[in-house]
Amino acid sequence: MKTTPELMADSYAYAEAPFASLVRFDDTVAVVTGGAAGIGRGIASRLAELGAAVVLLDVDPQVTGTAAELAERHGAEVEGRLVDVRRSADLDAVARAAAARTPRKLVWVNAAGIYPSHLLGDLGDAEWDAVVGLDLTGSFYGSRAAALAAREAGREAVVINISSVAGFRTGRPPGLTHYASAKHGVQGMTKALAAELGPDGIRVNCIAPGAVVTDTLESKFGSMDLEAGTDYFSTRAQEMPIRRPSLPDDVARAACFLASDAAANITGVILPVDAGHLTT
Ligand SMILES: NC(=O)c1ccc[n+]([C@@H]2O[C@H](COP(=O)([O-])OP(=O)(O)OC[C@H]3O[C@@H](n4cnc5c(N)ncnc54)[C@H](O)[C@@H]3O)[C@@H](O)[C@H]2O)c1
């Protein structure tokens, strides 16, 4: 890929460019797994707003409806595809097509994931495999597909993995051994791939969200009740330096920064978006 003098020339150009131009994605195809809902959908929405052509991958048929809604809202090219991230050959095909199509950069966001709770007595092989197979192995399949396709097509790429504060410590409440293991793995994978792929013009970063208000988390713990303040989100918020849970858009804004040329010198980082929860 680019030599050090070429990279320095890019850096001097970025240093002179208006900041807003560095966070545009007009020359980018972005693939977002788990894009039908929640955090993936939030990230896809911001990328589309900033000019990317976006491909949403999900096992939920709602993915086509989400794509149509985002296309309409942003006047952008957004396509929804029924793809299971546990099927590596399908991800490889999507990545090859996206790398061939993008004018310059491929952004790949691994946001598909599940977070069921099982205390150890209920954590059988199937429960372990379901979480590790999707949250860790699915993210690996996506990262590998994007990196190899971009390298083969001679395109730049940025991979964004979505971990969790459970990638730094155990989940709260207990019952997330499989999830915390998978998310610790995602963070290790991010750093290892960043080191290997940097010379190829491929950056790999990770975001570790705290409690994010999504339909799935609300169905697990109940909705936020701002008046009573006794629900899961309100209780957790009192442990956070910034006393509110996150929205998918909090994660999306961080993802857009990491995927953009504003972050051209950043790879291998794990960025918490958690209202400061990990400091406590
Ligand atoms: N919500 C939170 O508080 C929170 C906190 C930390 C980390 N996370 C992580 O963020 C990611 C997204 O979480 P969310 O809360 O937005 O969840 P969500 O359930 O709202 O969205 C996840 C999406 O992934 C899709 N999906 C599930 N299995 C899939 C598969 N095999 N192939 C393709 N798509 C699949 C689902 O259909 C869904 O649309 C997960 O990795 C989760 O671990 C969430």
Side-chain angles (χ1 to χ4, degrees), residues 121-156:
D122 295 322
L123 183 51
D125 298 359
E127 288 74 20
W128 172 271
D129 289 345
V131 171
V132 174
L134 177 50
D135 293 16
L136 176 57
T137 309
S139 295
F140 168 66
Y141 288 164
S143 302
R144 181 179 62 186
L148 295 183
R151 196 160 67 181
E152 197 179 305
R155 296 288 186 268
E156 292 177 30

Side-chain angles (χ1 to χ4, degrees), residues 32-40 57-59 83-86 109-116 130-139 162-164 179 182-183 186 214 216-217:
V32 182
T33 77
I39 291 171
L57 309 182
D58 209 293
V59 288
V83 171
D84 186 330
V85 299
R86 294 167 297 185
V109 181
N110 291 305
I114 51 172
Y115 33 88
V131 171
V132 174
L134 177 50
D135 293 16
L136 176 57
T137 309
S139 295
I162 305 299
S163 172
S164 162
Y179 183 69
K183 295 302 190 182
V186 166
T214 60
T216 301
L217 200 62

Side-chain angles (χ1 to χ4, degrees), residues 12 24 63 70 108 125 226 233 272 276:
Y12 285 120
R24 291 291 310 174
V63 69
L70 298 185
W108 187 288
D125 298 359
L226 291 173
F233 289 106

Side-chain angles (χ1 to χ4, degrees), residues 156-226:
E156 292 177 30
V158 185
V159 175
I160 309 279
N161 291 312
I162 305 299
S163 172
S164 162
V165 290
F168 288 98
R169 62 184 181 199
T170 60
R172 293 180 191 167
L176 292 172
T177 298
H178 42 1
Y179 183 69
S181 302
K183 295 302 190 182
H184 276 68
V186 166
Q187 296 186 182
M189 178 186 74
T190 297
K191 290 184 271 190
L193 288 177
E196 181 176 338
L197 297 169
D200 296 319
I202 299 169
R203 298 189 291 110
V204 186
N205 289 307
C206 178
I207 296 173
V212 184
V213 183
T214 60
D215 290 349
T216 301
L217 200 62
E218 286 186 305
S219 68
K220 186 170 163 147
F221 290 119
S223 296
M224 192 167 186
D225 181 340
L226 291 173

Side-chain angles (χ1 to χ4, degrees), residues 89-132:
D90 293 351
L91 297 183
D92 293 343
V94 170
R96 275 196 299 272
R101 176 179 159 209
T102 190
R104 178 185 154 220
K105 191 197 273 186
L106 173 65
V107 169
W108 187 288
V109 181
N110 291 305
I114 51 172
Y115 33 88
S117 294
H118 298 96
L119 293 171
L120 195 59
D122 295 322
L123 183 51
D125 298 359
E127 288 74 20
W128 172 271
D129 289 345
V131 171
V132 174

Side-chain angles (χ1 to χ4, degrees), residues 236-258:
R236 295 286 299 272
Q238 295 318 304
E239 303 163 1
M240 300 171 189
I242 299 170
R243 284 193 157 58
R244 68 162 175 87
S246 307
L247 296 179
D249 194 56
D250 287 298
V251 181
R253 296 194 301 270
C256 288
F257 166 68
L258 289 174

Side-chain angles (χ1 to χ4, degrees), residues 41-46 48-49 65-78 249:
R41 173 188 170 152
I43 294 171
S45 180
R46 285 292 186 182
E49 177 199 337
T66 300
E69 183 210 322
L70 298 185
E72 163 91 24
R73 186 189 309 165
H74 301 299
E77 261 180 84
V78 186
D249 194 56

